[in-house]
Amino acid sequence: MPTHAGTRAIRLQQLLRIAKAVNSTLDLESVLQTIVDTVCDLTTWKMACIAIVDEGTQEVIFVAQRGFHDQGGRPARWPITESLTPQATAAGRTIVVSDT
């Protein structure tokens, strides 16, 4: 089992991984995917995503994800009324959903 110092070093290495991704590419999708992958690697989470809201269609769209079903290469999207996005936005924080 890693020591506290060892765990801290691993976390710092992962943050460095994100910083390198941000500084090495202009490809936003790649940077966001690196963030999602790193979050999953640093936690016990099997699933995570970063989503945006399309104001025109009022849909939530995954722009980076891990652990969700593949949509044939297309971003997953659904009506904003069927998501937790309004609650997360109103609360100003991330919402973690426990396994069901």
Side-chain angles (χ1 to χ4, degrees):
M1 182 182 313
T3 64
H4 175 68
T7 300
R8 186 163 187 249
I10 291 168
R11 288 184 176 156
L12 289 173
Q13 287 174 342
Q14 295 297 330
L15 289 174
L16 180 60
R17 176 178 158 198
I18 292 172
K20 284 181 179 178
V22 168
N23 290 315
S24 69
T25 183
L26 296 176
D27 179 17
L28 182 59
E29 288 181 22
S30 174
V31 172
L32 295 176
Q33 189 61 51
T34 298
I35 292 169
V36 168
D37 290 338
T38 302
V39 165
C40 287
D41 292 345
L42 287 173
T43 65
T44 59
W45 299 353
K46 293 182 174 86
M47 301 171 74
C49 71
I50 296 175
I52 61 170
V53 174
D54 181 326
E55 298 284 339
T57 64
Q58 288 295 293
E59 291 179 312
V60 175
I61 305 165
F62 282 172
V63 292
Q65 63 88 20
R66 181 167 167 184
F68 292 88
H69 296 292
D70 186 4
Q71 301 292 314
R74 297 181 320 276
R77 55 176 57 227
W78 60 94
I80 194 169
T81 56
E82 296 177 15
S83 76
L84 294 173
T85 303
Q87 294 94 319
T89 303
R93 63 180 180 83
T94 301
I95 296 178
V96 177
V97 179
S98 299
D99 290 340
T100 55

